[in-house]
Amino acid sequence: MSRTTAGSVPSPAADPGLRFPLATVGQVRRELARQLSTIPRARWWFLLAVALLGLGSYATVLVPQLMGQIVDLVTGDGAVQAMWRIGAELVVASVAGAAMSAVGFYLVSRLSERVIANLRQDMVGTALGLPTHQVEDAGTGDLVSRSTDDVAELSAAVTETLPTLSTSLFSIAATVVALSALDWHFIVIPIVVVPVYYLAARMYLARAPKRYAAERAAMAERARRVLEAIRGRATVRAYSMENRMHTEIENASWSVVRLGITARTTMLVLNSWMLGIEFLMLTMTLGVGYYLVSTGALTVGAVTGAVLMIIRLSGPINTLMRVLDVIQSGYASLARIVGVVADPPVPVPDCGADAPVGRVELRDVSFSYGSGWAVRNVDLTINPGETIAIVGASGAGKTTVAALLAGLRVPDAGEVLVDGYPVSRLSDSERIARIATVSQEVHVFSGTLRQDLTLAKPDATDSEMHSALDRVHAHSWFDRLPSGLDTVVGSRGLQLEPVAAQQLALARILLLDPAIVVMDEATAEAGSAGAGALEDAADEVTQGRSALVVAHRLDQASQADSILVMDGGKIVERGTHDQLVARGGIYHRLWSAWTVGRRELDADPV
């Protein structure tokens, strides 16, 4: 089974307004609190980490004070015993400060990494539970970017900034307290300097968040362009769109570069401010120190210790200001991640639908991707056990009708009813029992063939899986597998050929046994060699159940109970194969061109 082909319909993700939202500050705070509440004893571990970081910072602040005492001993010809005592205290303070800071940082890092891991898991789980049309509207590129680029950016930001951020904050607080206890005059320095730092930080924060958010959005757009080119590679080659796609990817990549440079330029301006503030702080420190020594308020050693503390204080402050760059980038990623999980989908409850019957009705259905109608005023009925084929030129609206029936899209007008119930009101279990979709793009999951098949029916027996594979004529390649059902397939194992992968998808349909199957050009990429086998397999799948077949091959459409011809988003002809051929309309012209092409192909000796 697979989703509807992404490249078959216009991509709505180009509209930024359809992307997943950014979380507000309140949403981020609540989500972090919720994540912490899921970790056993997280509050106590956090309080212990804060205590250790605070004590560690205080111990490091004692170092310059003790060095000042050494200066007093030297100038006053102090006793040797006092020198040894101060030296021992220096060693103890340094070792204790480093040890407590390291343990505190370890505890904070452990908590933060667990929160990031839980956020990643919740985001992926939320995305998997979202309605498919919502993911399609937002763009898979945006979702992939949030689950990869943003998670990596957040993890890197925590790893890079947590040590310096925690150390800087506690060092600043401990230094200010120590200076206050030494002499109140030193308080003048932070009183003058802090507002200047605040002004610089405010100017930075006024510009940086938007610029980093723009950079993250540009990265999402780049991911979307790349995914679009890879997934639609067949269409790109068929229409010779390689140069156009290369240009679009190049433009998206350069947009990331330009926005990244703009964001980093903001940090360069902040660095210029910090150099000026550091000069001001050192000048004031020397002036206050000279005044206190000259008035006899403090000794030279005490002032030396204070000056050393101020010099050490400039380091944590500058470090704190510099990591604002990484903090803003990390917060932008955090807001994008929480934007997905902040409003998780509410499971649709069972609506009480009876046992699956397989009746489908589209009543005056219209749908638009935002620029013109993709389908307009479509009426369609599929009775239980009936097969309806849809044909038409590319862009006629065939795939959109299939997506609407499968519940992958929600109509802008009209109703899509399955067994008398709107498809959007069916719960997951009710919908799975009724509808399954297979398209020309299928995914073979990494793992054993048995695991791949039991995705459709977890309790399937070996005989049931063998029967399903045999019914879709997969024995030609299955019999050659080295370990049968236990053969590893997918990206980490045996790479199945396109026809084999499609047969595997059809076998899943048989195991799932839905009342309705939607086949969106499921045999389009079979080629002449595999067309017969896949068409026979498709006939087996549709046997005894309702089916909507978006037909790429007209000989497949000709076997349907009824055929719909679409053009410009509307159904322009309907009837059996013989009726439509006799009518001499669009279908007659398509069939004539098809049969001529088939005769020429059959006559080609190559």
Side-chain angles (χ1 to χ4, degrees):
M1 288 173 291
S2 69
R3 287 166 42 194
T4 305
T5 306
S8 302
V9 295
S11 175
D15 182 3
L18 293 176
R19 295 192 180 119
F20 292 105
L22 293 177
T24 63
V25 174
Q27 287 175 322
V28 170
R29 185 175 63 251
R30 288 191 295 271
E31 180 60 26
L32 291 179
R34 187 186 71 82
Q35 292 291 348
L36 285 172
S37 68
T38 63
I39 301 175
R41 297 181 295 279
R43 177 179 297 179
W44 296 109
W45 287 118
F46 180 74
L47 291 176
L48 177 59
V50 169
L52 289 172
L53 289 170
L55 292 172
S57 298
Y58 178 73
T60 58
V61 168
L62 290 177
V63 172
Q65 291 181 335
L66 293 170
M67 294 179 68
Q69 293 180 24
I70 292 175
V71 172
D72 284 336
L73 286 174
V74 172
T75 57
D77 194 19
V80 175
Q81 292 84 357
M83 182 71 73
W84 280 106
R85 178 182 58 79
I86 295 174
E89 291 176 353
L90 271 173
V91 173
V92 171
S94 299
V95 173
M100 287 186 290
S101 296
V103 175
F105 167 65
Y106 168 76
L107 293 176
V108 174
S109 298
R110 184 180 177 184
L111 286 174
S112 61
E113 288 297 336
R114 289 190 65 178
V115 168
I116 292 174
N118 291 341
L119 271 175
R120 180 192 294 113
Q121 181 177 344
D122 288 353
M123 184 182 67
V124 174
T126 300
L128 291 175
L130 288 171
T132 305
H133 66 86
Q134 184 175 341
V135 178
E136 294 282 352
D137 288 343
T140 53
D142 187 34
L143 185 58
V144 168
S145 177
R146 295 189 190 218
S147 59
T148 54
D149 292 340
D150 288 313
V151 170
E153 187 73 22
L154 177 60
S155 182
V158 170
T159 303
E160 293 176 19
T161 65
L162 201 55
T164 56
L165 183 62
S166 57
T167 302
S168 298
L169 288 175
F170 284 99
S171 296
I172 292 171
T175 302
V176 171
V177 171
L179 285 173
S180 302
L182 188 62
D183 192 282
W184 68 268
H185 289 90
F186 286 109
I187 301 299
V188 175
I189 297 173
I191 289 176
V192 173
V193 171
V194 167
V196 185
Y197 270 116
Y198 173 77
L199 178 61
R202 184 167 182 173
M203 292 175 61
Y204 173 79
L205 295 175
R207 297 175 176 84
K210 294 180 181 178
R211 293 179 179 181
Y212 279 111
E215 182 189 15
R216 298 261 75 79
M219 293 174 69
E221 178 66 14
R222 179 182 62 186
R224 185 185 72 82
R225 293 291 185 185
V226 172
L227 286 172
E228 187 179 66
I230 293 173
R231 292 176 175 174
R233 59 190 179 278
T235 304
V236 171
R237 291 172 183 169
Y239 289 94
S240 300
M241 298 168 58
E242 290 88 349
N243 291 335
R244 174 185 168 187
M245 298 304 293
H246 287 164
T247 301
E248 290 178 349
I249 293 173
E250 180 182 8
N251 291 338
S253 299
W254 274 111
S255 178
V256 174
V257 172
R258 287 193 299 270
L259 291 171
I261 292 174
T262 301
R264 272 66 187 180
T265 301
T266 313
M267 192 64 200
L268 292 177
V269 175
L270 180 63
N271 285 335
S272 300
W273 274 85
M274 288 192 298
L275 290 174
I277 297 171
E278 186 174 349
F279 175 78
L280 173 64
M281 186 165 58
L282 290 175
T283 302
M284 292 183 63
T285 302
L286 292 173
V288 172
Y290 176 79
Y291 168 76
L292 293 174
V293 172
S294 63
T295 58
L298 290 177
T299 64
V300 173
V303 171
T304 301
V307 171
L308 290 175
M309 280 191 286
I310 290 293
I311 292 174
R312 289 168 63 94
L313 182 62
S314 65
I317 291 178
N318 290 342
T319 300
L320 180 61
M321 297 293 286
R322 288 191 176 97
V323 298
L324 287 177
D325 180 54
V326 183
I327 292 172
Q328 285 301 312
S329 180
Y331 180 78
S333 293
L334 177 61
R336 283 167 54 81
I337 294 170
V338 176
V340 178
V341 303
D343 187 20
V346 178
V348 178
D350 287 347
C351 65
D354 298 329
V357 176
R359 179 175 175 82
V360 175
E361 292 180 88
L362 273 68
R363 297 178 178 175
D364 198 24
V365 168
S366 298
F367 179 81
S368 172
Y369 291 103
S371 56
W373 293 104
V375 296
R376 183 69 168 165
N377 305 124
V378 170
D379 289 297
L380 165 64
T381 299
I382 305 177
N383 293 312
E386 187 178 26
T387 297
I388 301 294
I390 301 181
V391 300
S394 177
K398 307 184 300 296
T399 292
T400 301
V401 171
L404 288 166
L405 169 55
L408 304 182
R409 298 287 184 184
V410 177
D412 295 320
E415 288 185 303
V416 179
L417 303 178
V418 174
D419 291 342
Y421 294 87
V423 68
S424 58
R425 285 183 51 198
L426 296 174
S427 66
D428 288 343
S429 59
E430 290 172 332
R431 188 172 58 253
I432 290 172
R434 286 165 171 77
I435 310 172
T437 303
V438 59
S439 74
Q440 61 180 320
E441 292 187 8
V442 299
H443 182 73
V444 178
F445 294 89
S446 294
T448 64
L449 184 63
R450 182 193 311 278
Q451 293 171 329
D452 212 297
L453 286 168
T454 52
L455 289 171
K457 187 179 180 181
D459 59 348
T461 63
D462 286 6
S463 61
E464 288 176 318
M465 288 184 277
H466 281 109
S467 175
L469 291 169
D470 187 61
R471 289 172 63 186
V472 297
H473 309 288
H475 50 78
S476 59
W477 56 267
F478 175 74
D479 293 341
R480 298 196 304 268
L481 295 182
S483 302
L485 291 173
D486 294 317
T487 301
V488 178
V489 296
S491 59
R492 297 183 181 179
L494 179 66
Q495 301 289 324
L496 297 182
E497 296 294 329
V499 171
Q502 196 67 265
Q503 288 171 326
L504 176 58
L506 293 171
R508 291 195 203 116
I509 296 287
L510 292 177
L511 289 172
L512 187 62
D513 193 24
I516 305 162
V517 61
V518 179
M519 305 187 69
D520 186 3
E521 300 188 352
T523 63
E525 295 194 10
S528 57
L534 274 188
E535 287 176 5
D536 290 343
D539 289 341
E540 180 68 28
V541 169
T542 58
Q543 189 70 31
R545 53 175 54 90
S546 307
L548 178 70
V549 178
V550 177
H552 171 77
R553 308 175 68 88
L554 290 190
D555 51 356
Q556 182 184 20
S558 66
Q559 304 301 314
D561 297 309
S562 181
I563 302 172
L564 307 179
V565 182
M566 293 195 68
D567 185 41
K570 296 183 178 182
I571 297 176
V572 294
E573 295 180 5
R574 67 177 74 206
T576 64
H577 170 75
D578 293 336
Q579 290 172 341
L580 293 178
V581 169
R583 187 175 301 173
I586 295 176
Y587 183 81
H588 172 77
R589 294 193 296 272
L590 291 173
W591 179 256
S592 298
W594 168 262
T595 52
V596 170
R598 293 302 304 168
R599 284 197 297 267
E600 292 176 352
L601 183 61
D602 293 339
D604 191 341
V606 178

